[in-house]
């Protein structure tokens, strides 16, 4: 009853009628594009409607008309440009950058031509265009759900990643570890060996490093101890990775399930030794290892805690790139990935390549484990990898198995993670909302890859296709 009374009031009845009219007019203007190509009439209507419910009504009307009556590419352009204009309206009105709507048509035209330009060049800047549309959709959701200025929200994301020297160093550290794990899985992926066990291999390397630090910390000189830690971590990661590789080479087992199950085994092993080494007893955690002596801690360069990790991973990136693109082993990996039959035909021992490549993958994961345990965290936990073994799969795939390209994809995912956390803290939102924004951006990027690689084509009904064939024969 209260809703009915509210709608009967002059103020709300006027708003409802206004919104309905704007929806209908935008819908009709979108439909008019069928007769006039890609005309910015509906977009102009969105711009003229301004912020709030009026703008939402015009946006929904234009989008609905475009989806129902226009080709897919035109409908997508209409929606993207409409979201951009609506978001800009809200932001500009909130920031009071202008007060008169007379400026809106000019603004709309500029935005429309910008979106049109992006679509003309979509084959070359597909990822950029999809990132833009993802940000626009995030801005729309932010405006509608939280009534916050989307520009301030995006600014907070940058602040979370680059707001202080410490935040920049943490960003670099997280980027380096994710990149290192991504480099580890890439040779196997390029060989079409789906190594989903990077998480467990990092844990194995970290566990070996922690064991050396705890058991030998007061028995060996620090230099020799660090060398032993590095060797043990690399060996542990390599052994953990080579087990499924041998089974794959000898008995053609499913490497995806095998490597995935090895993650759980590694997690339970770490959990067991945490109880053995727990300090203080009953705490359920190891605590900082050798905190008083710093035995087994990797040295700091110039007093910077994270610089060594960043430099090591930078060198590994260059080495892996050279290995995959300019070495005989890299060539064999590519051939096995293209076709195992072809590889066998030209004399490549496929089983040997599988085992050798997984040894390399595991070794690199072991290095990541050492960098975490001995370099920065100085402790061991079951979550020390932080799920980055699975995130690395996405990083490697998005970069198309190019180690240099993985620098950018790693940066994107780490930036989103750091920025999302800052959004939750600064605006009092729960972590789920920040994760939604990150998920939307990642979804658009993955969707971009799909539509660049594949083209949708709709088959005609069999009867219509047969009739067209007959008519073509008659015409001949």
């Amino acid at each position: 009853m209260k809703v009915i009374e509210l709608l009967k009031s002059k103020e709300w009845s006027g708003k409802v009628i206004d919104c309905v009219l704007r929806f209908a007019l935008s819908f009709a203007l979108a439909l008019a594009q069928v007769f006039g190509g890609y005309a910015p009439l509906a977009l102009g209507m969105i711009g003229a409607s301004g912020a709030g419910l009026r703008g939402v009504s015009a946006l929904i009307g234009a989008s609905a008309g475009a989806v129902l009556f226009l080709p897919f590419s035109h409908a997508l352009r209409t929606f993207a440009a409409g979201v951009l204009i609506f978001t800009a309206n809200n932001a500009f009105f909130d920031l009071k950058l202008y007060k008169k709507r007379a400026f809106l048509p000019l603004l709309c035209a500029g935005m429309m031509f910008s979106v049109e330009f992006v679509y003309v060049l979509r084959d070359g800047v597909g990822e950029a265009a999809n990132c833009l549309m993802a940000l626009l959709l995030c801005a729309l959701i932010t405006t509608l759900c939280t009534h916050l200025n989307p520009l301030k929200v995006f600014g907070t994301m940058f602040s979370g990643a680059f707001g202080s020297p410490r935040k920049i160093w943490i960003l670099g550290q997280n980027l380096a570890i994710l990149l290192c794990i991504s480099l580890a899985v890439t040779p196997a992926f390029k060989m079409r060996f789906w190594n989903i066990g990077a998480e467990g291999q990092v844990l194995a390397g970290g566990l070996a490093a922690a064991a050396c630090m705890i058991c030998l910390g007061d028995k060996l000189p620090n230099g020799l101890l660090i060398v032993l830690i590095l060797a043990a971590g690399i060996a542990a990661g390599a052994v953990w990775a080579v087990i499924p590789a041998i089974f794959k080479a000898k008995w053609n087992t499913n490497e995806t399930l095998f490597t995935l199950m090895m993650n759980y085994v590694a997690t339970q092993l770490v959990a067991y030794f945490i109880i053995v080494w727990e300090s203080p007893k009953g705490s359920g955690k190891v605590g900082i290892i050798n905190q008083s002596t710093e035995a087994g801690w990797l040295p700091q360069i110039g007093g910077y805690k994270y610089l060594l990790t960043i430099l090591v991973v930078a060198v590994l990136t260059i080495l892996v790139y050279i290995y995959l693109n300019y070495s005989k082993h890299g060539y064999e990996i590519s051939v096995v990935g293209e076709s195992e039959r072809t590889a066998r035909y030209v004399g490549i021992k496929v089983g040997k390549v599988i085992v050798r490549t997984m040894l390399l993958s595991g070794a690199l994961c072991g290095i990541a484990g050492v960098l975490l345990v001995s370099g920065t965290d100085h402790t061991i936990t079951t979550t020390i990898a932080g799920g980055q073994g699975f995130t690395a799969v996405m990083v490697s795939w998005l970069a198309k198995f190019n180690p240099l390209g993985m620098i950018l994809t790693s940066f994107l995912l780490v930036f989103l993670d750091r920025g999302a956390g800052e959004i939750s803290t600064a605006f009092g939102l729960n972590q789920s909302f920040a994760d939604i924004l990150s998920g939307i951006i990642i979804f658009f990027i993955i969707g971009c890859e799909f539509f660049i690689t594949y083209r949708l084509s709709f088959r005609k009904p069999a009867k219509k296709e047969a009739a067209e064939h007959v008519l073509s024969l008659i015409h001949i």
Side-chain angles (χ1 to χ4, degrees):
M1 295 298 293
K2 290 184 178 180
V3 175
I4 296 175
E5 292 177 1
L6 185 63
L7 292 176
K8 286 182 178 179
S9 65
K10 292 184 178 180
E11 181 181 356
W12 272 93
S13 60
K15 287 184 178 180
V16 170
I17 294 173
D18 190 14
C19 290
V20 170
L21 289 176
R22 290 176 188 278
F23 173 89
L25 186 55
S26 298
F27 186 91
L29 291 174
L31 174 60
Q33 296 181 48
V34 175
F35 306 101
Y38 181 61
L41 299 174
L43 302 181
M45 186 62 209
I46 296 172
S49 297
L53 287 175
R54 295 181 177 87
V56 172
S57 303
L59 175 61
I60 294 174
S63 302
V67 169
L68 291 175
F69 299 106
L70 296 179
F72 177 76
S73 60
H74 283 195
L76 192 59
R77 279 185 286 188
T78 300
F79 175 74
V83 172
L84 177 61
I85 293 169
F86 173 75
T87 304
N89 275 337
N90 281 273
F92 289 169
F93 278 121
D94 288 344
L95 295 175
K96 299 180 180 179
L97 295 181
Y98 58 79
K99 297 181 179 180
K100 297 181 179 180
R101 294 188 184 179
F103 295 100
L104 283 172
L106 187 60
L107 172 70
C108 297
M111 291 181 176
M112 188 278 297
F113 285 118
S114 299
V115 173
E116 180 74 10
F117 179 72
V118 168
Y119 270 87
V120 169
L121 300 178
R122 63 185 180 275
D123 292 334
V125 294
E127 289 87 352
N130 276 269
C131 285
L132 175 64
M133 287 192 292
L135 291 173
L136 295 176
L137 184 57
C138 289
L140 177 61
I141 292 175
T142 301
T143 302
L144 295 179
C145 296
T146 67
H147 304 292
L148 295 172
N149 185 339
L151 294 182
K152 291 182 180 178
V153 173
F154 291 145
T156 303
M157 291 184 71
F158 279 92
S159 175
F162 305 106
S164 67
R166 174 174 171 75
K167 289 179 179 179
I168 295 174
W169 279 113
I170 294 175
L171 177 75
Q173 153 71 9
N174 295 344
L175 168 62
I177 294 298
L178 179 57
L179 180 58
C180 185
I181 302 173
S182 303
L183 292 172
V185 300
T186 295
F189 285 170
K190 199 168 184 180
M191 188 181 58
R192 297 298 187 267
F193 185 103
W194 308 115
N195 178 18
I196 313 298
E199 195 89 0
Q201 292 151 29
V202 172
L203 285 174
L207 181 62
C212 292
M213 293 172 69
I214 293 172
C215 299
L216 303 174
D218 56 350
K219 298 177 182 178
L220 294 175
N222 196 48
L224 181 59
L225 179 59
I226 289 175
V227 173
L228 185 59
I229 288 171
L230 184 60
I234 291 175
V239 168
W240 209 254
V242 84
I243 295 172
I246 292 173
F247 275 76
K248 175 69 175 181
K250 295 293 184 182
W251 299 287
N252 196 31
T253 57
N254 187 311
E255 72 275 11
T256 304
L257 292 177
F258 205 135
T259 54
L260 184 62
M261 293 301 105
M262 293 290 284
N263 290 336
Y264 296 103
V265 178
T267 302
Q268 295 308 312
L269 273 176
V270 172
Y272 170 79
F273 280 102
I274 286 175
I275 300 302
V276 173
W277 296 329
E278 65 181 353
S279 177
K281 287 295 182 181
S283 63
K285 59 183 180 180
V286 175
I288 302 299
I289 303 172
N290 301 335
Q291 187 171 8
S292 59
T293 62
E294 297 187 0
W297 290 22
L298 294 181
Q300 296 183 4
I301 299 178
Y304 295 109
K305 182 179 180 180
Y306 304 122
L307 183 57
L308 179 62
T309 299
I310 295 171
L311 292 178
V312 168
V313 175
V315 172
L316 288 176
T317 303
I318 297 172
L319 292 178
V320 172
Y321 178 80
I322 294 172
Y323 177 80
L324 291 178
N325 293 280
Y326 299 103
S327 71
K328 178 185 175 184
H329 289 178
Y331 171 74
E332 290 177 346
I333 289 172
S334 298
V335 175
V336 172
E338 290 294 330
S339 171
E340 289 189 12
R341 289 185 178 181
T342 303
R344 291 191 177 95
Y345 181 77
V346 298
I348 296 174
K349 297 180 180 179
V350 174
K352 179 180 177 182
V353 174
I354 291 174
V355 171
R356 184 183 66 208
T357 305
M358 281 302 290
L359 279 170
L360 174 63
S361 267
L364 291 172
C365 284
I367 292 175
V370 171
L371 292 174
L372 284 170
V373 172
S374 186
T376 56
D377 293 5
H378 307 129
T379 188
I380 181 71
T381 66
T382 56
T383 58
I384 195 167
Q388 293 184 96
F390 300 105
T391 308
V393 176
M394 186 185 305
V395 170
S396 180
W397 182 78
L398 286 174
K400 299 178 181 177
F401 311 136
N402 183 345
L404 299 182
M406 283 187 282
I407 298 173
L408 297 177
T409 52
S410 298
F411 171 79
L412 173 65
L413 295 179
V414 172
F415 167 76
L416 290 176
D417 180 66
R418 298 289 303 170
E422 187 71 15
I423 289 174
S424 301
T425 304
F427 295 102
L429 304 173
N430 60 42
Q431 184 64 35
S432 299
F433 183 80
D435 291 340
I436 288 172
L437 299 184
S438 300
I440 289 171
I441 294 173
I442 295 172
F443 176 80
F444 268 74
I445 294 172
I446 295 175
C448 169
E449 290 293 323
F450 176 82
F451 284 107
I452 287 176
T453 306
Y454 302 98
R455 178 182 178 183
L456 293 178
S457 60
F458 300 95
R459 295 184 62 182
K460 298 178 181 179
K463 293 182 179 179
K464 185 176 181 180
E465 189 173 353
E468 289 181 355
H469 180 65
V470 170
L471 288 174
S472 64
L473 292 177
I474 294 173
H475 180 69
I476 293 173

